Amino acid sequence: MSKNRIEWIDFVRAIAILTVLYVHATDGIYIISSNTILNYTIYSRIFNFASLYIGRIGVPFFLMITGYLLLDRTYNDKDVRNFWRKNCKEIIIVTIIWTIIYALCLQFITVNSHQISLNESGTLFFSHMWYMPMIIGMYLSIPFVSTAIKQFDTDTIWSATIVFTLIAFLLPFLTTLLSMNGIKSVNIQYCLGFSGGVYGIYIILGYLIKKGKFKNIPSYQLGIVALLSFIITLFFQYYTFIKGYDFYLWYEFPFILTGSFALFELCSRIDKIRAFPFVSFLSKYSFAVFLVHNIYRIPLLPLIVDLPFSEPIKAIILWILLIFLSYLTTIIIYRIPRFGKYVLYME
């Protein structure tokens, strides 16, 4: 391990931001191209479905990192207030600042293409901002959750997590299956109380991984779980497509949970990360890049969509440009005295 750094955590954080940028690039290309392309090739659709799975790994990684780092702490009254002041207060201000920035960008950035409507522009601009109120809510609860779970051993916490997972992940999946087969009147009501829903479950899993709950699972079995999760998710998306069912892959899908969990546990077993200085660089600016990157997506989309390449190639080109421009921008902003660190929510 490098001084004051957990190398594999930085590695996972770097993967997480790259996958988030990847899914936003792919999603943007396919949303815009769908206006002009009625029938993608089978390979293009499979690429899109696979990209959605890869991209959906990012947020669970971020949440499990949160649980791994923040739940295994002791909080008294003073610690709670300091935690809220450092995390919640600042991130609320940063959220307001970037909401205003994106609102202004939506008004003043002219998209010189008939391919992108105003509604699509707004959707694409703010597509990532849902994460901010969610993580604020998680941070508000973390000191209380951390204090509560210290009263129980990991087996008890794991038992409760299984029950919550069955409710939060399998019930919506069951509803989707019934709806796909014409049974649309079934409305399964459930309440997860103070659990944080699906996002809280990812955070708890991060905590359990830190406690070594799953260390007895062989790595090859985790690899099989990750691979099967990917294959099942890919085929399920294709199945819903051929059935004409409007399905959008999101974080409550059970095989996003199993795949991201297996990969996170596997990463936690890595002792040494190659090219760690570069990985650490990607990790350091990850949240800042998350805030910044959508500024470039709208102006670049009409330019990339008009290139004489297939949609997968266009998506990869856009992804590379988003990585380069977003990191370059955050580096520049970060170096502005008394401004950069605060606006980017960086230490």
Side-chain angles (χ1 to χ4, degrees):
M1 299 291 179
S2 296
K3 185 178 180 180
N4 299 325
R5 305 297 302 182
I6 303 176
E7 292 193 9
W8 73 266
I9 286 286
D10 277 352
F11 177 66
V12 172
R13 191 181 285 116
I15 292 175
I17 188 57
L18 293 179
T19 57
V20 168
L21 266 60
Y22 179 71
V23 76
H24 286 175
T26 305
D27 234 12
I29 291 294
Y30 277 85
I31 287 173
I32 303 307
S33 297
S34 64
N35 294 337
T36 55
I37 300 177
L38 298 178
N39 295 300
Y40 297 111
T41 66
I42 181 63
Y43 303 106
S44 183
R45 288 204 178 275
I46 290 175
F47 173 85
N48 186 24
F49 297 148
S51 296
L52 282 172
Y53 176 86
I54 294 169
R56 291 290 178 259
I57 295 298
V59 166
F61 274 4
F62 280 130
L63 292 173
M64 284 187 276
I65 289 173
T66 299
Y68 189 96
L69 296 177
L70 297 183
L71 279 186
D72 191 24
R73 295 184 181 182
T74 300
Y75 299 88
N76 55 35
D77 288 338
K78 182 179 178 181
D79 294 330
V80 170
R81 287 191 290 269
N82 289 336
F83 180 83
W84 284 345
R85 187 180 303 111
K86 180 180 177 181
N87 294 281
C88 299
K89 178 183 175 181
E90 292 185 8
I91 203 171
I92 288 171
I93 295 173
V94 167
T95 300
I96 294 172
I97 290 172
W98 280 95
T99 300
I100 294 172
I101 290 174
Y102 277 108
L104 292 174
C105 288
L106 184 60
Q107 294 297 320
F108 293 107
I109 292 181
T110 302
V111 182
N112 296 315
S113 173
H114 64 280
Q115 295 170 306
I116 305 179
S117 67
L118 180 62
N119 182 58
E120 287 172 335
S121 297
T123 300
L124 293 170
F125 254 121
F126 291 98
S127 61
H128 67 316
M129 293 301 287
W130 68 269
Y131 182 84
M132 306 302 282
M134 182 275 291
I135 200 62
I136 291 169
M138 295 296 107
Y139 280 175
L140 285 170
S141 302
I142 276 175
F144 302 110
V145 176
S146 176
T147 301
I149 61 178
K150 282 183 171 55
Q151 310 302 315
F152 307 98
D153 60 34
T154 55
D155 289 338
T156 302
I157 298 169
W158 174 233
S159 298
T161 303
I162 292 174
V163 174
F164 280 115
T165 299
L166 292 174
I167 296 172
F169 288 85
L170 288 188
L171 288 185
F173 183 59
L174 177 61
T175 302
T176 299
L177 290 176
L178 292 174
S179 180
M180 284 172 55
N181 290 279
I183 306 175
K184 301 181 182 297
S185 59
V186 177
N187 185 17
I188 302 175
Q189 298 288 338
Y190 61 90
C191 177
L192 295 178
F194 296 100
S195 70
V198 297
Y199 308 114
I201 290 170
Y202 285 115
I203 290 175
I204 292 294
L205 283 175
Y207 169 82
L208 290 173
I209 288 171
K210 184 171 187 178
K211 289 299 185 180
K213 175 63 181 175
F214 312 106
K215 291 301 182 185
N216 62 329
I217 303 176
S219 294
Y220 80 89
Q221 291 184 7
L222 292 169
I224 292 173
V225 169
L227 180 60
L228 287 178
S229 298
F230 171 73
I231 293 172
I232 292 171
T233 305
L234 189 64
F235 275 94
F236 186 81
Q237 288 180 95
Y238 187 74
Y239 177 68
T240 59
F241 165 71
I242 62 177
K243 291 216 29 135
Y245 183 81
D246 186 19
F247 172 76
Y248 190 66
L249 188 65
W250 199 245
Y251 302 106
E252 78 277 4
F253 192 68
F255 297 102
I256 294 294
L257 173 71
T258 56
S260 60
F261 155 74
L263 291 172
F264 192 87
E265 171 64 32
L266 282 172
C267 288
S268 73
R269 302 178 182 188
I270 301 175
D271 293 324
K272 188 70 176 177
I273 301 297
R274 294 182 180 180
F276 180 69
F278 178 66
V279 171
S280 180
F281 163 79
L282 294 176
S283 174
K284 174 182 177 180
Y285 290 95
S286 60
F287 191 74
V289 165
F290 175 80
L291 293 171
V292 166
H293 77 278
N294 254 4
I295 287 178
Y296 293 106
R297 193 158 62 139
I298 297 295
L300 287 173
L301 267 172
L303 302 176
I304 303 300
V305 165
D306 286 337
L307 293 177
F309 303 118
S310 64
E311 273 59 47
I313 298 298
K314 294 175 185 177
I316 292 172
I317 292 173
L318 179 57
W319 178 49
I320 293 172
L321 288 174
L322 286 180
I323 293 172
F324 175 76
L325 292 172
S326 299
Y327 272 93
L328 178 62
T329 301
T330 55
I331 291 170
I332 293 172
I333 296 175
Y334 181 68
R335 281 158 174 73
I336 301 175
R338 300 184 181 180
F339 178 80
K341 293 182 179 181
Y342 192 80
V343 170
L344 296 176
Y345 190 62
M346 294 179 63
E347 295 182 357

PDB file of all heavy atoms in Angstrom, residues 226-249:
ATOM      1  N   ALA A 226     -19.814 -12.860 -11.389  1.00  0.00           N
ATOM      2  CA  ALA A 226     -19.719 -11.633 -12.177  1.00  0.00           C
ATOM      3  C   ALA A 226     -20.008 -11.904 -13.649  1.00  0.00           C
ATOM      4  O   ALA A 226     -20.737 -11.150 -14.301  1.00  0.00           O
ATOM      5  CB  ALA A 226     -18.327 -11.017 -12.013  1.00  0.00           C
ATOM      6  N   LEU A 227     -19.446 -12.986 -14.187  1.00  0.00           N
ATOM      7  CA  LEU A 227     -19.647 -13.315 -15.599  1.00  0.00           C
ATOM      8  C   LEU A 227     -21.100 -13.678 -15.882  1.00  0.00           C
ATOM      9  O   LEU A 227     -21.691 -13.208 -16.864  1.00  0.00           O
ATOM     10  CB  LEU A 227     -18.726 -14.467 -16.005  1.00  0.00           C
ATOM     11  CG  LEU A 227     -18.824 -14.938 -17.466  1.00  0.00           C
ATOM     12  CD1 LEU A 227     -18.482 -13.796 -18.423  1.00  0.00           C
ATOM     13  CD2 LEU A 227     -17.919 -16.144 -17.701  1.00  0.00           C
ATOM     14  N   LEU A 228     -21.686 -14.514 -15.037  1.00  0.00           N
ATOM     15  CA  LEU A 228     -23.086 -14.899 -15.227  1.00  0.00           C
ATOM     16  C   LEU A 228     -24.016 -13.696 -15.092  1.00  0.00           C
ATOM     17  O   LEU A 228     -25.014 -13.591 -15.821  1.00  0.00           O
ATOM     18  CB  LEU A 228     -23.478 -15.981 -14.217  1.00  0.00           C
ATOM     19  CG  LEU A 228     -22.903 -17.384 -14.456  1.00  0.00           C
ATOM     20  CD1 LEU A 228     -23.336 -18.324 -13.337  1.00  0.00           C
ATOM     21  CD2 LEU A 228     -23.346 -17.934 -15.810  1.00  0.00           C
ATOM     22  N   SER A 229     -23.706 -12.793 -14.178  1.00  0.00           N
ATOM     23  CA  SER A 229     -24.523 -11.586 -14.016  1.00  0.00           C
ATOM     24  C   SER A 229     -24.523 -10.765 -15.296  1.00  0.00           C
ATOM     25  O   SER A 229     -25.564 -10.250 -15.718  1.00  0.00           O
ATOM     26  CB  SER A 229     -23.997 -10.753 -12.844  1.00  0.00           C
ATOM     27  OG  SER A 229     -24.084 -11.457 -11.632  1.00  0.00           O
ATOM     28  N   PHE A 230     -23.348 -10.647 -15.902  1.00  0.00           N
ATOM     29  CA  PHE A 230     -23.231  -9.916 -17.167  1.00  0.00           C
ATOM     30  C   PHE A 230     -24.030 -10.596 -18.269  1.00  0.00           C
ATOM     31  O   PHE A 230     -24.806  -9.944 -18.989  1.00  0.00           O
ATOM     32  CB  PHE A 230     -21.759  -9.817 -17.568  1.00  0.00           C
ATOM     33  CG  PHE A 230     -21.540  -9.281 -18.956  1.00  0.00           C
ATOM     34  CD1 PHE A 230     -21.731  -7.931 -19.245  1.00  0.00           C
ATOM     35  CD2 PHE A 230     -21.163 -10.134 -19.981  1.00  0.00           C
ATOM     36  CE1 PHE A 230     -21.540  -7.439 -20.524  1.00  0.00           C
ATOM     37  CE2 PHE A 230     -20.967  -9.651 -21.272  1.00  0.00           C
ATOM     38  CZ  PHE A 230     -21.159  -8.304 -21.544  1.00  0.00           C
ATOM     39  N   ILE A 231     -23.882 -11.903 -18.411  1.00  0.00           N
ATOM     40  CA  ILE A 231     -24.563 -12.643 -19.485  1.00  0.00           C
ATOM     41  C   ILE A 231     -26.077 -12.581 -19.312  1.00  0.00           C
ATOM     42  O   ILE A 231     -26.824 -12.326 -20.263  1.00  0.00           O
ATOM     43  CB  ILE A 231     -24.075 -14.106 -19.518  1.00  0.00           C
ATOM     44  CG1 ILE A 231     -22.596 -14.152 -19.935  1.00  0.00           C
ATOM     45  CG2 ILE A 231     -24.921 -14.935 -20.477  1.00  0.00           C
ATOM     46  CD1 ILE A 231     -21.969 -15.532 -19.815  1.00  0.00           C
ATOM     47  N   ILE A 232     -26.547 -12.809 -18.075  1.00  0.00           N
ATOM     48  CA  ILE A 232     -27.994 -12.789 -17.823  1.00  0.00           C
ATOM     49  C   ILE A 232     -28.570 -11.400 -18.104  1.00  0.00           C
ATOM     50  O   ILE A 232     -29.639 -11.273 -18.713  1.00  0.00           O
ATOM     51  CB  ILE A 232     -28.290 -13.218 -16.373  1.00  0.00           C
ATOM     52  CG1 ILE A 232     -27.941 -14.689 -16.182  1.00  0.00           C
ATOM     53  CG2 ILE A 232     -29.768 -12.973 -16.030  1.00  0.00           C
ATOM     54  CD1 ILE A 232     -27.997 -15.156 -14.740  1.00  0.00           C
ATOM     55  N   THR A 233     -27.865 -10.367 -17.656  1.00  0.00           N
ATOM     56  CA  THR A 233     -28.336  -9.000 -17.897  1.00  0.00           C
ATOM     57  C   THR A 233     -28.388  -8.695 -19.382  1.00  0.00           C
ATOM     58  O   THR A 233     -29.346  -8.079 -19.881  1.00  0.00           O
ATOM     59  CB  THR A 233     -27.419  -7.981 -17.198  1.00  0.00           C
ATOM     60  OG1 THR A 233     -27.330  -8.295 -15.816  1.00  0.00           O
ATOM     61  CG2 THR A 233     -27.955  -6.568 -17.357  1.00  0.00           C
ATOM     62  N   LEU A 234     -27.391  -9.135 -20.123  1.00  0.00           N
ATOM     63  CA  LEU A 234     -27.346  -8.924 -21.565  1.00  0.00           C
ATOM     64  C   LEU A 234     -28.528  -9.601 -22.247  1.00  0.00           C
ATOM     65  O   LEU A 234     -29.246  -8.978 -23.049  1.00  0.00           O
ATOM     66  CB  LEU A 234     -26.022  -9.467 -22.119  1.00  0.00           C
ATOM     67  CG  LEU A 234     -25.689  -9.158 -23.574  1.00  0.00           C
ATOM     68  CD1 LEU A 234     -25.503  -7.666 -23.779  1.00  0.00           C
ATOM     69  CD2 LEU A 234     -24.427  -9.915 -23.991  1.00  0.00           C
ATOM     70  N   PHE A 235     -28.762 -10.866 -21.929  1.00  0.00           N
ATOM     71  CA  PHE A 235     -29.848 -11.608 -22.566  1.00  0.00           C
ATOM     72  C   PHE A 235     -31.210 -11.083 -22.127  1.00  0.00           C
ATOM     73  O   PHE A 235     -32.160 -11.072 -22.926  1.00  0.00           O
ATOM     74  CB  PHE A 235     -29.728 -13.096 -22.256  1.00  0.00           C
ATOM     75  CG  PHE A 235     -28.811 -13.829 -23.183  1.00  0.00           C
ATOM     76  CD1 PHE A 235     -27.485 -14.017 -22.846  1.00  0.00           C
ATOM     77  CD2 PHE A 235     -29.255 -14.308 -24.407  1.00  0.00           C
ATOM     78  CE1 PHE A 235     -26.614 -14.675 -23.705  1.00  0.00           C
ATOM     79  CE2 PHE A 235     -28.401 -14.967 -25.273  1.00  0.00           C
ATOM     80  CZ  PHE A 235     -27.073 -15.158 -24.931  1.00  0.00           C
ATOM     81  N   PHE A 236     -31.319 -10.651 -20.869  1.00  0.00           N
ATOM     82  CA  PHE A 236     -32.608 -10.119 -20.408  1.00  0.00           C
ATOM     83  C   PHE A 236     -32.966  -8.843 -21.163  1.00  0.00           C
ATOM     84  O   PHE A 236     -34.120  -8.651 -21.557  1.00  0.00           O
ATOM     85  CB  PHE A 236     -32.569  -9.849 -18.907  1.00  0.00           C
ATOM     86  CG  PHE A 236     -33.893  -9.437 -18.342  1.00  0.00           C
ATOM     87  CD1 PHE A 236     -34.850 -10.392 -18.035  1.00  0.00           C
ATOM     88  CD2 PHE A 236     -34.210  -8.100 -18.134  1.00  0.00           C
ATOM     89  CE1 PHE A 236     -36.093 -10.017 -17.522  1.00  0.00           C
ATOM     90  CE2 PHE A 236     -35.439  -7.726 -17.624  1.00  0.00           C
ATOM     91  CZ  PHE A 236     -36.378  -8.684 -17.318  1.00  0.00           C
ATOM     92  N   GLN A 237     -31.989  -7.969 -21.362  1.00  0.00           N
ATOM     93  CA  GLN A 237     -32.244  -6.741 -22.119  1.00  0.00           C
ATOM     94  C   GLN A 237     -32.661  -7.068 -23.551  1.00  0.00           C
ATOM     95  O   GLN A 237     -33.576  -6.445 -24.107  1.00  0.00           O
ATOM     96  CB  GLN A 237     -30.997  -5.863 -22.136  1.00  0.00           C
ATOM     97  CG  GLN A 237     -30.680  -5.205 -20.807  1.00  0.00           C
ATOM     98  CD  GLN A 237     -29.443  -4.349 -20.891  1.00  0.00           C
ATOM     99  OE1 GLN A 237     -29.512  -3.143 -21.110  1.00  0.00           O
ATOM    100  NE2 GLN A 237     -28.278  -4.970 -20.737  1.00  0.00           N
ATOM    101  N   TYR A 238     -31.987  -8.036 -24.148  1.00  0.00           N
ATOM    102  CA  TYR A 238     -32.333  -8.403 -25.523  1.00  0.00           C
ATOM    103  C   TYR A 238     -33.723  -9.040 -25.575  1.00  0.00           C
ATOM    104  O   TYR A 238     -34.505  -8.776 -26.506  1.00  0.00           O
ATOM    105  CB  TYR A 238     -31.296  -9.366 -26.101  1.00  0.00           C
ATOM    106  CG  TYR A 238     -31.510  -9.648 -27.570  1.00  0.00           C
ATOM    107  CD1 TYR A 238     -31.198  -8.684 -28.536  1.00  0.00           C
ATOM    108  CD2 TYR A 238     -32.049 -10.851 -27.997  1.00  0.00           C
ATOM    109  CE1 TYR A 238     -31.419  -8.922 -29.880  1.00  0.00           C
ATOM    110  CE2 TYR A 238     -32.271 -11.096 -29.339  1.00  0.00           C
ATOM    111  CZ  TYR A 238     -31.952 -10.138 -30.278  1.00  0.00           C
ATOM    112  OH  TYR A 238     -32.182 -10.380 -31.613  1.00  0.00           O
ATOM    113  N   TYR A 239     -34.039  -9.838 -24.568  1.00  0.00           N
ATOM    114  CA  TYR A 239     -35.353 -10.473 -24.522  1.00  0.00           C
ATOM    115  C   TYR A 239     -36.467  -9.433 -24.411  1.00  0.00           C
ATOM    116  O   TYR A 239     -37.496  -9.533 -25.095  1.00  0.00           O
ATOM    117  CB  TYR A 239     -35.407 -11.442 -23.340  1.00  0.00           C
ATOM    118  CG  TYR A 239     -36.740 -12.113 -23.150  1.00  0.00           C
ATOM    119  CD1 TYR A 239     -37.224 -13.036 -24.083  1.00  0.00           C
ATOM    120  CD2 TYR A 239     -37.528 -11.834 -22.039  1.00  0.00           C
ATOM    121  CE1 TYR A 239     -38.451 -13.656 -23.900  1.00  0.00           C
ATOM    122  CE2 TYR A 239     -38.754 -12.454 -21.839  1.00  0.00           C
ATOM    123  CZ  TYR A 239     -39.209 -13.363 -22.786  1.00  0.00           C
ATOM    124  OH  TYR A 239     -40.433 -13.969 -22.609  1.00  0.00           O
ATOM    125  N   THR A 240     -36.284  -8.443 -23.547  1.00  0.00           N
ATOM    126  CA  THR A 240     -37.296  -7.398 -23.425  1.00  0.00           C
ATOM    127  C   THR A 240     -37.422  -6.601 -24.729  1.00  0.00           C
ATOM    128  O   THR A 240     -38.516  -6.157 -25.086  1.00  0.00           O
ATOM    129  CB  THR A 240     -36.957  -6.427 -22.277  1.00  0.00           C
ATOM    130  OG1 THR A 240     -35.670  -5.826 -22.503  1.00  0.00           O
ATOM    131  CG2 THR A 240     -36.949  -7.144 -20.944  1.00  0.00           C
ATOM    132  N   PHE A 241     -36.294  -6.448 -25.447  1.00  0.00           N
ATOM    133  CA  PHE A 241     -36.331  -5.726 -26.721  1.00  0.00           C
ATOM    134  C   PHE A 241     -37.165  -6.479 -27.760  1.00  0.00           C
ATOM    135  O   PHE A 241     -38.031  -5.893 -28.419  1.00  0.00           O
ATOM    136  CB  PHE A 241     -34.912  -5.508 -27.240  1.00  0.00           C
ATOM    137  CG  PHE A 241     -34.857  -5.104 -28.682  1.00  0.00           C
ATOM    138  CD1 PHE A 241     -35.282  -3.840 -29.079  1.00  0.00           C
ATOM    139  CD2 PHE A 241     -34.391  -5.993 -29.640  1.00  0.00           C
ATOM    140  CE1 PHE A 241     -35.250  -3.480 -30.420  1.00  0.00           C
ATOM    141  CE2 PHE A 241     -34.356  -5.634 -30.975  1.00  0.00           C
ATOM    142  CZ  PHE A 241     -34.785  -4.371 -31.374  1.00  0.00           C
ATOM    143  N   ILE A 242     -36.915  -7.771 -27.918  1.00  0.00           N
ATOM    144  CA  ILE A 242     -37.648  -8.525 -28.946  1.00  0.00           C
ATOM    145  C   ILE A 242     -39.116  -8.679 -28.569  1.00  0.00           C
ATOM    146  O   ILE A 242     -39.973  -8.895 -29.435  1.00  0.00           O
ATOM    147  CB  ILE A 242     -37.001  -9.902 -29.208  1.00  0.00           C
ATOM    148  CG1 ILE A 242     -37.025 -10.776 -27.955  1.00  0.00           C
ATOM    149  CG2 ILE A 242     -35.589  -9.734 -29.738  1.00  0.00           C
ATOM    150  CD1 ILE A 242     -36.467 -12.178 -28.176  1.00  0.00           C
ATOM    151  N   LYS A 243     -39.433  -8.566 -27.277  1.00  0.00           N
ATOM    152  CA  LYS A 243     -40.828  -8.611 -26.849  1.00  0.00           C
ATOM    153  C   LYS A 243     -41.508  -7.261 -26.957  1.00  0.00           C
ATOM    154  O   LYS A 243     -42.717  -7.135 -26.756  1.00  0.00           O
ATOM    155  CB  LYS A 243     -40.923  -9.110 -25.404  1.00  0.00           C
ATOM    156  CG  LYS A 243     -40.546 -10.566 -25.271  1.00  0.00           C
ATOM    157  CD  LYS A 243     -41.305 -11.350 -24.265  1.00  0.00           C
ATOM    158  CE  LYS A 243     -42.675 -10.998 -23.926  1.00  0.00           C
ATOM    159  NZ  LYS A 243     -43.587 -12.181 -23.865  1.00  0.00           N
ATOM    160  N   GLY A 244     -40.715  -6.214 -27.282  1.00  0.00           N
ATOM    161  CA  GLY A 244     -41.276  -4.880 -27.406  1.00  0.00           C
ATOM    162  C   GLY A 244     -41.604  -4.235 -26.085  1.00  0.00           C
ATOM    163  O   GLY A 244     -42.411  -3.303 -26.014  1.00  0.00           O
ATOM    164  N   TYR A 245     -40.953  -4.698 -25.008  1.00  0.00           N
ATOM    165  CA  TYR A 245     -41.208  -4.164 -23.672  1.00  0.00           C
ATOM    166  C   TYR A 245     -40.218  -3.041 -23.385  1.00  0.00           C
ATOM    167  O   TYR A 245     -39.015  -3.170 -23.628  1.00  0.00           O
ATOM    168  CB  TYR A 245     -41.079  -5.264 -22.624  1.00  0.00           C
ATOM    169  CG  TYR A 245     -41.403  -4.816 -21.228  1.00  0.00           C
ATOM    170  CD1 TYR A 245     -42.722  -4.730 -20.796  1.00  0.00           C
ATOM    171  CD2 TYR A 245     -40.397  -4.480 -20.330  1.00  0.00           C
ATOM    172  CE1 TYR A 245     -43.034  -4.314 -19.506  1.00  0.00           C
ATOM    173  CE2 TYR A 245     -40.686  -4.066 -19.048  1.00  0.00           C
ATOM    174  CZ  TYR A 245     -42.010  -3.984 -18.635  1.00  0.00           C
ATOM    175  OH  TYR A 245     -42.304  -3.569 -17.365  1.00  0.00           O
ATOM    176  N   ASP A 246     -40.722  -1.940 -22.860  1.00  0.00           N
ATOM    177  CA  ASP A 246     -39.896  -0.771 -22.571  1.00  0.00           C
ATOM    178  C   ASP A 246     -39.186  -0.968 -21.234  1.00  0.00           C
ATOM    179  O   ASP A 246     -39.701  -0.623 -20.174  1.00  0.00           O
ATOM    180  CB  ASP A 246     -40.765   0.489 -22.542  1.00  0.00           C
ATOM    181  CG  ASP A 246     -39.925   1.755 -22.391  1.00  0.00           C
ATOM    182  OD1 ASP A 246     -38.707   1.694 -22.661  1.00  0.00           O
ATOM    183  OD2 ASP A 246     -40.494   2.800 -22.017  1.00  0.00           O
ATOM    184  N   PHE A 247     -37.986  -1.533 -21.294  1.00  0.00           N
ATOM    185  CA  PHE A 247     -37.213  -1.810 -20.083  1.00  0.00           C
ATOM    186  C   PHE A 247     -35.941  -0.979 -20.093  1.00  0.00           C
ATOM    187  O   PHE A 247     -35.232  -0.913 -21.102  1.00  0.00           O
ATOM    188  CB  PHE A 247     -36.846  -3.298 -20.014  1.00  0.00           C
ATOM    189  CG  PHE A 247     -35.880  -3.637 -18.903  1.00  0.00           C
ATOM    190  CD1 PHE A 247     -36.316  -3.703 -17.587  1.00  0.00           C
ATOM    191  CD2 PHE A 247     -34.545  -3.887 -19.189  1.00  0.00           C
ATOM    192  CE1 PHE A 247     -35.429  -4.007 -16.560  1.00  0.00           C
ATOM    193  CE2 PHE A 247     -33.647  -4.200 -18.173  1.00  0.00           C
ATOM    194  CZ  PHE A 247     -34.089  -4.260 -16.859  1.00  0.00           C
ATOM    195  N   TYR A 248     -35.664  -0.337 -18.965  1.00  0.00           N
ATOM    196  CA  TYR A 248     -34.424   0.439 -18.842  1.00  0.00           C
ATOM    197  C   TYR A 248     -33.647  -0.065 -17.648  1.00  0.00           C
ATOM    198  O   TYR A 248     -34.156  -0.095 -16.523  1.00  0.00           O
ATOM    199  CB  TYR A 248     -34.725   1.929 -18.685  1.00  0.00           C
ATOM    200  CG  TYR A 248     -33.487   2.795 -18.793  1.00  0.00           C
ATOM    201  CD1 TYR A 248     -32.787   2.896 -19.996  1.00  0.00           C
ATOM    202  CD2 TYR A 248     -33.019   3.491 -17.697  1.00  0.00           C
ATOM    203  CE1 TYR A 248     -31.651   3.677 -20.103  1.00  0.00           C
ATOM    204  CE2 TYR A 248     -31.887   4.288 -17.791  1.00  0.00           C
ATOM    205  CZ  TYR A 248     -31.207   4.376 -19.000  1.00  0.00           C
ATOM    206  OH  TYR A 248     -30.079   5.150 -19.102  1.00  0.00           O
ATOM    207  N   LEU A 249     -32.443  -0.482 -17.884  1.00  0.00           N
ATOM    208  CA  LEU A 249     -31.611  -1.074 -16.845  1.00  0.00           C
ATOM    209  C   LEU A 249     -31.239  -0.033 -15.798  1.00  0.00           C
ATOM    210  O   LEU A 249     -30.688   1.020 -16.125  1.00  0.00           O
ATOM    211  CB  LEU A 249     -30.348  -1.665 -17.486  1.00  0.00           C
ATOM    212  CG  LEU A 249     -29.437  -2.487 -16.581  1.00  0.00           C
ATOM    213  CD1 LEU A 249     -30.147  -3.751 -16.114  1.00  0.00           C
ATOM    214  CD2 LEU A 249     -28.149  -2.843 -17.316  1.00  0.00           C
TER     215      LEU A 249
END
